């Protein structure tokens, strides 16, 4: 085929690209042993670290920190109360230690207490102005171009592409169509509870400071079953949070494709593990036992350094 | 147009049919004032009493009763314990009084404690054999033919059709594609929690005896936001449980269509209100204040007797 016909131009020739193309050809060849009807061609993608950058901190955490700073004038007590003090002091070391409880407090303070419509506007406005500290681009321009091509390639072959992320569903939905071509109803994520109320005679959904669902680890197959009701035939992740999604996908019959993005490219993006001796991280850790399980179960590990000839779309 | 071109042949000419056709033409006329892009053409449908029969009891309750009877040999204590005793004694009067707590007990005893895959098989097998006591047909043949035509007509005009039901999502999904042309991922319903586990090295999702989400009343807009992330432009229901879904749909800008099926045809189906002086019911009540709100807000009430020239598809 001519280069211009290559649906995956940002992928180097190699085992990863070959595995993708062979899988897609297998499940779309009518009459073939591995043919899958279009209605069952479900592919699920983790978001942070799989479809876009998650370092130095998760994008949603960057949003939460900006929101806490914006709301601080109304909360003088935050100057002396953790985890808010760490945010206002830009104390990254203290922030690294706030733990899950502290993270939940930050999310509730910044993501709850307004209507879903107001939150959507806040998020949309933030995406228009916030920039990544290293790449100096809007976060919406930090999707991995090879993965965007993969999403399109799968959809061109009759797949439904879903995001299945530990991130907040209402944080992602304002940008997924533009960035990934994935509509709101195909975004599965963590959520807080919403409550139907009438405000001045108009119905609104108010975002409450209470966790509804955590779409991470064992929550990913639960979320997939809850929202899709079908088992994926392909799943893509990058960290220990994706283990159960890949296990669940792999446990179905017929051809399957499970892949993990490995961040081994400090020059063009970041390098972190701790698998294969790379540095450990608070954000998107890929532990050695996940690498071992991948090898054991035939999950394919994508090397950003070797498999991708570019990371981001040109500006 | 020739009769054979009518996309809604089971609808009599009249205000209801006219409202549907005018709405669809308005939102699909490119360049028109009410044009809606296909991605935003979301239509939501209640299931019981809106798309299929819900009398003399909800279909899912008939399933639960059959399951309790099937499981009774393993539960000798049920012979003397309510609500199970009422089921085993076929004591419909006692069953009518078990209330929500009793219903939940019946659902948990019959719907939990197995994997999602096992439950799907139990439901699928039940639909193959169970028959409605009056119409002597499988429940899957008791969809309202005019509504099936409406679903197809909307989809032919670029709509995505969703079920938004108080019924259990995993009870509906095994039949919605065949009966309504609605795939699993477009079925929103009530749910119990599932838990990811490994059984003999194979991952399963176990159904736990704990409510996850009640997709009824104010839960319907919550569920719509959770699963779709977009506000519908059309919504169809038949009871007080649909009030908030129709309010939420109607509160958006642009052309909207909200309709309520009114069961006023005792000869061909059932007649119940208590609106308009029809008998009250435990299953799908349409109270007078809902009728008043419909009039007030311009929601259209479908008369089964006058608007539909047939109720079910021919066998
Ligand atoms: Ca990730
Ligand atoms: Ca109903």
């Amino acid at each position: 085929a001519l280069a211009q016909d290559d649906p995956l131009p940002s992928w180097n020739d190699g085992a990863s690209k070959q595995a993708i193309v062979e899988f897609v050809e297998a499940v779309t060849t009518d009459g073939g042993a591995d043919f899958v009807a279009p209605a069952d061609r479900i592919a699920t993608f983790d978001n942070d670290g799989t479809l876009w950058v998650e370092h130095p901190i998760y994008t949603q955490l960057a949003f939460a920190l900006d929101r806490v700073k914006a709301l601080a004038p109304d909360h003088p007590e935050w100057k002396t109360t953790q985890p808010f003090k760490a945010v206002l002091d830009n104390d990254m070391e203290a922030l690294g230690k706030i733990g899950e409880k502290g993270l939940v407090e930050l999310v509730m303070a910044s993501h709850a207490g307004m209507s879903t419509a107001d939150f959507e506007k806040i998020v949309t406005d933030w995406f228009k102005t916030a920039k990544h500290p290293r790449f100096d681009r809007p976060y919406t321009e930090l999707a991995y171009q090879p993965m965007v091509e993969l999403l399109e390639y799968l959809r061109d072959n009759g797949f439904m592409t879903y995001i299945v992320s530990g991130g907040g569903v209402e944080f992602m939905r304002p940008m997924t169509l533009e960035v990934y071509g994935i509509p709101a109803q195909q975004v599965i994520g963590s959520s807080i509870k919403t409550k139907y109320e009438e405000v001045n005679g108009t119905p609104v959904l108010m975002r409450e400071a209470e966790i509804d669902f955590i779409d991470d680890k064992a929550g990913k197959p639960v979320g997939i079953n809850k929202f899709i009701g079908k088992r994926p035939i392909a799943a893509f992740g990058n960290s220990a949070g994706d283990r159960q999604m890949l296990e669940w996908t792999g446990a179905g019959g017929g051809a399957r494709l499970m892949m993990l993005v490995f961040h081994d490219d400090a020059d063009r993006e970041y390098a972190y593990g701790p698998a294969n001796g790379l540095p450990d991280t608070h954000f998107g850790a890929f532990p050695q036992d996940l690498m071992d399980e991948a090898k054991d179960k035939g999950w394919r590990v994508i090397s950003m350094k070797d498999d991708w000839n570019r990371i981001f779309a040109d500006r």
Side-chain angles (χ1 to χ4, degrees), chain A:
Chain A
L2 295 168
Q4 70 194 44
D5 294 326
D6 183 354
L8 301 170
S10 299
W11 292 74
N12 291 321
D13 288 330
S16 290
K17 182 173 183 170
Q18 192 180 339
I20 293 167
V21 173
E22 285 179 358
F23 170 75
V24 169
E25 288 179 354
V27 300
T28 57
T29 300
D30 209 345
D34 290 319
F35 180 76
V36 174
D40 294 323
R41 289 180 204 157
I42 306 286
T44 55
F45 291 80
D46 170 62
N47 186 35
D48 296 307
T50 298
L51 294 180
W52 74 356
V53 171
E54 64 182 348
H55 274 208
I57 59 174
Y58 295 130
T59 303
Q60 190 174 0
L61 182 54
F63 165 78
L65 302 187
D66 282 356
R67 286 300 298 160
V68 165
K69 287 172 189 168
L71 296 168
D74 296 332
H75 296 272
E77 74 280 10
W78 286 354
K79 281 185 196 154
T80 53
T81 321
Q82 293 293 15
F84 304 100
K85 183 177 182 323
V87 176
L88 301 179
D89 296 346
N90 286 311
D91 182 348
M92 285 297 148
E93 199 182 325
L95 263 179
K97 293 175 188 161
I98 60 174
E100 196 168 325
K101 183 168 165 290
L103 274 175
V104 168
E105 281 184 78
L106 288 180
V107 167
M108 292 310 174
S110 55
H111 287 60
M114 73 289 280
S115 72
T116 53
D118 288 345
F119 185 69
E120 181 179 352
K121 182 168 179 353
I122 291 167
V123 171
T124 302
D125 289 347
W126 184 82
F127 274 126
K128 281 184 199 149
T129 54
K131 289 195 172 178
H132 187 277
R134 171 173 165 191
F135 297 111
D136 195 35
R137 291 184 178 202
Y139 290 94
T140 48
E141 294 181 19
L142 293 173
Y144 303 132
Q145 178 60 19
M147 297 304 283
V148 171
E149 293 168 6
L150 173 56
L151 288 165
E152 286 173 3
Y153 174 54
L154 290 173
R155 290 193 295 263
D156 286 346
N157 281 281
F159 279 75
M160 293 187 76
T161 53
Y162 277 83
I163 288 174
V164 178
S165 168
V169 63
E170 297 204 276
F171 178 74
M172 297 184 280
R173 280 176 171 165
M175 66 83 194
T176 56
L177 185 64
E178 185 192 326
V179 176
Y180 305 128
I182 295 180
Q185 67 270 21
Q186 283 161 236
V187 182
I188 302 170
S190 297
S191 54
I192 60 178
K193 288 192 191 287
T194 65
K195 191 175 174 196
Y196 181 82
E197 289 177 5
E198 290 219 351
V199 175
N200 302 325
T202 300
V204 296
L205 290 169
M206 291 300 294
R207 292 170 58 79
E208 310 237 287
E210 189 184 344
I211 298 277
D212 177 47
F213 179 60
I214 300 291
D215 189 51
D216 197 29
K217 301 189 177 76
K220 291 204 175 192
V222 168
I224 287 167
N225 183 64
K226 188 195 295 246
F227 283 78
I228 313 177
K230 295 174 187 172
R231 193 194 301 256
I233 63 169
F236 303 84
N238 80 303
S239 82
D242 301 308
R243 188 192 302 266
Q244 291 87 347
M245 176 167 75
L246 270 64
E247 290 173 349
W248 178 244
T249 301
R256 303 278 145 170
L257 181 65
M258 284 72 66
M259 300 186 90
L260 290 165
V261 174
F262 189 54
H263 293 256
D264 57 359
D265 193 336
D267 287 342
R268 295 188 301 171
E269 204 242 11
Y270 295 95
Y272 49 97
N276 294 7
L278 293 184
D280 202 354
T281 173
H282 287 293
F283 304 104
F286 192 133
Q288 189 61 45
D289 67 354
L290 180 64
M291 191 66 85
D292 296 342
E293 183 171 352
K295 191 166 290 181
D296 183 50
K297 295 197 165 138
W299 303 347
R300 290 176 180 278
V301 176
I302 297 164
S303 161
M304 292 184 75
K305 186 174 174 140
D306 296 335
D307 285 323
W308 292 356
N309 61 50
R310 76 170 125 182
I311 308 291
F312 306 120
D314 294 334
R315 296 203 73 178

